[in-house]
Amino acid sequence: MNDNNTYKVGIIGFGPKGFYGFERLIAYLNEAEFSRAIQIHIFNNTKFLASGDVYRTDQPEYLIMNYTNRNINSWVLKKPYAPATSTPDFVTWLTGNKIADAAPGMYAPRATVGKYLEACYQFVLEQLPKNIEVVVHIGTVTNVYKKEEAYELKYVDAKFRQEADIQCNKMLFTTGHHSFKAQSRKNIMLDNKIEFVYPMDEKLSHITKDSLVAIKGFGLTAIDAILSLTEGREGSFKKHDKGILKYIPSGKEPNKIYPFSRTGLPMVPRNGLLTTDTELHFFTKEVIAELKQNRPVSFNYTLLPLIKKEFYFAYYSVLFKNYGHQFYFDEDFTVIENQVQYFHEDFPECPVFNWDDIVNPFKDEPKLSSIVLQVYIELLINEARLGEDKSPFMAAVSTWRKISPIFNEIYSFGGLDAVSHKEFDTFYFGLFNRLSYGPPVKNMQKMLALCKAGILDFSYVKSASISFNDDKSKISLHIKNGQATDISYLVNATISRGKEGGFKNELYQNLVENGLIREFENKLITGYKPGCIEINEVGNAIDKNGNVNTDISFYGTPTEGITCDNDTLSRTRNNFASVWAKSTCRAIKKRDGRTENYEREENVL
């Protein structure tokens, strides 16, 4: 291709979000029937294109998804349709490739999802218009700066560690959690402290058998790390006649694994069953649309009461049904409460809905024991097996999944006052994730089996802290009562969220220094910086002077904090990919002097 006349587009980060942007761009370019040469430069840290770090295809099979096959689809059924040899959803692809566990309600290995994503990428490449060239760069982009009418990208090649420059006219940044919010490399390289666990075969391989390992976090990433250090070391789980799992050690595991977190609570597991799609009654689109007219909104005083009512109504809808009673909605909440009062008078043995018990049943306990956690996990497993249609508890906690898309509309772009914004980010985001987006029951059964085997130890699970000696060669895990244990390794199994105080990643620090982006600050009533980039409502960068730069767009993880809950695989949540692709086509047409209307609209948020 003639380089001087070639329009160049850069996609920085090429996991699922990068692929979604690429697919939409190809679809729009194909529809526009350009004759000019177009290059699409793809930059990714690894060779796992479209699958990315989370779904890379070299992961072991025991690392599985936390939502079912039926919810996975790489394609959008909107014009312009993708020019691809095939556009199967995940279940169709599994079935066509005769892959086991293709049922809609199953939880597939993440590596299998990665293979699906990579196959979808190939389907698009196979029908690539002749004037479009895709250039792949495996390496790390470290800097971007303006150069005349384009931008110079500096990147370091992953294999040869050589620095190179590429010019691009337009860019989409879809960097994931690790590359966007990376910690200092000094911490990452300490032998006894692992700051990021993926890929686990590499990052956890030097942890020796019979050692003592502390794992920060007790969410999905922590479960992955625990399984990697046990099942991933040739341990196995055997099922008893009653369906209870028992762990059979291989002798290659650590002696003890100590998870610890702020609350000490495990995530609520899920069973994968298709549930009744109940509607919301209080936290509705109509209510939120009205609240949006009077921003900022208080989370505690305005939104939380609506969320509690939804949990309450979902809980009693199932409880009433279990006893053959009909639970009626009424706009007057006292009428609903009266129904509940009469019900409990008739059935005093039934548990009463209690928000605090759902949020944290051990709030007033300064520490938790392995026995207490074991009993609680057994309770969660039993509730999850019942499912949302039979368990009042599961019906209540699943409510957030219905509320979340509507909440995003009011959270995004500073819809909450600054105090509420900070409180949601630091407390409620984690709470609702724990309640509503937990692991499959199978994985929680494995945690229980490891606890009974004496490998998983909950002695420090709640409110533990870590201390180091002067040269950081020794690590101690301790709790307030003075109990302490010297540990061999500390594993950070949390996924970083934005924090106040700027960006730790080199690329984003340089973007700020070059004036191409600035940090977002919520200035409503007080002030709060969630640690994310400021963008406009279609994902374009806001530069240091407050101007919109349509040449630079962000999608996915870099927008967290100004948008909420960017589901890695979602094609609809905070969908800046479509508007970016259309904007890129418009820019090319403008350069070519084409002025025809190009007004197809797609749902962006």
Side-chain angles (χ1 to χ4, degrees):
M1 292 186 178
N2 183 350
D3 198 62
N4 294 328
N5 194 42
T6 301
Y7 194 91
K8 297 181 180 180
V9 180
I11 301 177
I12 298 90
F14 206 73
K17 295 296 190 192
F19 166 64
Y20 296 164
F22 173 79
E23 181 274 321
R24 284 292 81 197
L25 179 60
I26 297 301
Y28 276 104
L29 291 175
N30 183 63
E31 181 190 56
E33 298 180 342
F34 288 107
S35 58
R36 73 142 60 234
I38 298 170
Q39 279 185 347
I40 301 174
H41 290 266
I42 290 172
F43 299 87
N44 201 54
N45 290 336
T46 69
K47 65 180 181 180
F48 299 99
L49 301 179
S51 53
D53 288 339
V54 176
Y55 306 103
R56 52 189 292 163
T57 56
D58 63 345
Q59 297 179 82
E61 293 286 294
Y62 59 78
L63 297 179
I64 61 176
M65 299 293 296
N66 72 317
Y67 57 100
T68 57
N69 295 344
R70 70 170 66 91
N71 293 318
I72 301 171
N73 191 350
S74 288
W75 309 98
V76 287
L77 299 177
K78 288 185 176 181
K79 294 181 179 180
Y81 298 119
T85 54
S86 181
T87 57
D89 61 35
F90 186 49
V91 172
T92 302
W93 181 82
L94 288 171
T95 304
N97 286 276
K98 298 180 178 166
I99 296 174
D101 298 333
M106 296 296 289
Y107 295 90
R110 283 210 299 274
T112 303
V113 176
K115 291 172 185 176
Y116 166 68
L117 290 163
E118 292 183 4
C120 293
Y121 171 52
Q122 290 301 318
F123 292 153
V124 176
L125 290 181
E126 287 165 4
Q127 293 295 315
L128 204 65
K130 293 182 180 180
N131 64 309
I132 298 175
E133 178 186 10
V134 175
V135 184
V136 175
H137 309 274
I138 305 302
T140 303
V141 177
T142 59
N143 203 350
V144 178
Y145 54 90
K146 193 81 164 64
K147 186 174 183 180
E148 297 175 354
E149 296 302 312
Y151 298 85
E152 195 87 9
L153 281 75
K154 286 191 174 293
Y155 79 98
V156 178
D157 180 87
K159 184 176 182 180
F160 300 106
R161 309 306 302 168
Q162 295 177 337
E163 190 173 73
D165 296 341
I166 297 290
Q167 276 200 3
C168 289
N169 303 97
K170 260 186 178 285
M171 293 167 291
L172 178 66
F173 290 80
T174 66
T175 50
H177 281 91
H178 183 45
S179 54
F180 175 51
K181 305 180 189 293
Q183 304 297 313
S184 69
R185 298 211 58 85
K186 179 181 177 182
N187 284 340
I188 294 172
M189 297 309 293
L190 285 174
D191 287 339
N192 61 352
K193 185 180 180 186
I194 297 100
E195 280 288 359
F196 190 73
V197 298
Y198 297 108
M200 291 193 179
D201 287 351
E202 173 189 327
K203 296 297 180 66
L204 304 183
S205 61
H206 67 284
I207 293 179
T208 57
K209 69 175 185 175
D210 300 326
S211 57
L212 301 179
V213 180
I215 294 188
K216 182 181 179 182
F218 200 13
L220 299 174
T221 305
I223 290 173
D224 282 354
I226 292 165
L227 292 177
S228 179
L229 293 170
T230 53
E231 189 173 9
R233 296 194 169 189
E234 300 178 21
S236 61
F237 293 92
K238 302 295 182 183
K239 187 174 287 188
H240 288 185
D241 294 339
K242 295 182 179 179
I244 299 172
L245 291 183
K246 180 180 180 181
Y247 182 69
I248 312 299
S250 66
K252 299 178 182 180
E253 305 89 347
N255 182 35
K256 294 283 186 183
I257 299 174
Y258 300 102
F260 68 98
S261 67
R262 180 178 53 80
T263 66
L265 295 177
M267 301 186 82
V268 177
R270 294 189 276 173
N271 66 13
L273 296 176
L274 191 62
T275 58
T276 304
D277 190 17
T278 55
E279 62 178 318
L280 297 174
H281 294 87
F282 306 98
F283 206 104
T284 63
K285 289 184 178 181
E286 293 74 21
V287 169
I288 298 307
E290 186 174 339
L291 290 174
K292 284 174 68 175
Q293 303 304 313
N294 298 289
R295 290 185 172 190
V297 175
S298 166
F299 183 82
N300 277 331
Y301 293 106
T302 305
L303 300 181
L304 187 57
L306 299 176
I307 294 170
K308 288 181 177 180
K309 286 180 179 179
E310 291 290 2
F311 274 55
Y312 183 97
F313 193 85
Y315 180 93
Y316 281 110
S317 292
V318 172
L319 186 58
F320 273 50
K321 183 179 69 174
N322 288 347
Y323 281 79
H325 284 237
Q326 181 69 43
F327 190 44
Y328 295 99
F329 171 73
D330 195 287
E331 292 184 0
D332 184 349
F333 197 70
T334 58
V335 174
I336 293 174
E337 290 177 312
N338 287 338
Q339 292 181 72
V340 170
Q341 181 182 339
Y342 298 144
F343 176 86
H344 281 297
E345 289 174 359
D346 291 338
F347 303 99
E349 74 279 6
C350 287
V352 177
F353 174 86
N354 187 301
W355 171 262
D356 291 330
D357 283 347
I358 287 178
V359 169
N360 190 345
F362 308 112
K363 180 180 179 182
D364 298 324
E365 300 293 331
K367 63 171 290 187
L368 298 174
S369 69
S370 282
I371 295 298
V372 169
L373 256 293
Q374 181 177 314
V375 171
Y376 184 60
I377 289 172
E378 287 175 338
L379 170 67
L380 293 180
I381 289 171
N382 290 334
E383 294 296 318
R385 280 174 167 167
L386 289 173
E388 298 165 26
D389 290 338
K390 294 182 179 179
S391 163
F393 171 79
M394 293 301 295
V397 299
S398 68
T399 304
W400 177 253
R401 293 198 292 273
K402 303 180 184 75
I403 293 173
S404 178
I406 305 172
F407 172 75
N408 184 50
E409 294 179 14
I410 202 162
Y411 173 97
S412 295
F413 305 101
L416 302 178
D417 64 70
V419 171
S420 294
H421 193 166
K422 183 174 184 177
E423 185 170 13
F424 182 83
D425 285 357
T426 56
F427 178 73
Y428 285 102
F429 180 86
L431 166 66
F432 293 133
N433 268 358
R434 176 169 61 80
L435 295 178
S436 297
Y437 300 110
V441 167
K442 179 180 178 180
N443 273 1
M444 198 54 73
Q445 289 174 315
K446 289 181 177 181
M447 295 302 104
L448 185 60
L450 288 168
C451 177
K452 291 179 178 179
I455 294 174
L456 193 57
D457 192 309
F458 297 126
S459 301
Y460 296 91
V461 74
K462 182 176 181 180
S463 302
S465 55
I466 292 288
S467 60
F468 298 84
N469 65 351
D470 290 342
D471 65 359
K472 295 190 176 183
S473 61
K474 292 184 179 180
I475 309 173
S476 179
L477 180 65
H478 48 87
I479 49 181
K480 290 181 180 179
N481 68 356
Q483 179 181 342
T485 297
D486 289 336
I487 59 172
S488 315
Y489 303 93
L490 172 61
V491 177
N492 184 355
T494 62
I495 295 296
S496 299
R497 285 182 56 76
K499 296 180 180 179
E500 294 187 76
F503 306 109
K504 296 184 181 297
N505 174 274
E506 179 184 5
L507 170 61
Y508 287 89
Q509 287 175 343
N510 286 333
L511 289 173
V512 171
E513 187 176 324
N514 297 340
L516 296 176
I517 63 171
R518 69 182 185 185
E519 188 174 3
F520 170 68
E521 181 177 7
N522 185 332
K523 298 179 180 179
L524 299 175
I525 303 181
T526 56
Y528 167 57
K529 292 182 178 181
C532 65
I533 294 154
E534 184 172 359
I535 56 176
N536 69 0
E537 293 197 2
V538 293
N540 298 141
I542 307 296
D543 70 17
K544 67 176 182 180
N545 297 317
N547 301 314
V548 176
N549 185 346
T550 58
D551 293 332
I552 300 177
S553 297
F554 298 90
Y555 177 37
T557 299
T559 72
E560 287 181 358
I562 198 169
T563 62
C564 184
D565 194 12
N566 289 277
D567 182 350
T568 311
L569 292 179
S570 174
R571 290 296 314 241
T572 58
R573 193 66 173 260
N574 303 314
N575 177 24
F576 300 134
S578 294
V579 72
W580 169 76
K582 185 163 71 170
S583 171
T584 301
C585 279
R586 283 175 170 163
I588 298 172
K589 287 186 174 185
K590 185 177 180 181
R591 177 167 291 200
D592 288 352
R594 293 168 59 177
T595 58
E596 67 265 35
N597 289 331
Y598 196 63
E599 296 301 328
R600 176 178 290 118
E601 294 297 334
E602 292 201 28
N603 182 30
V604 174
L605 292 177

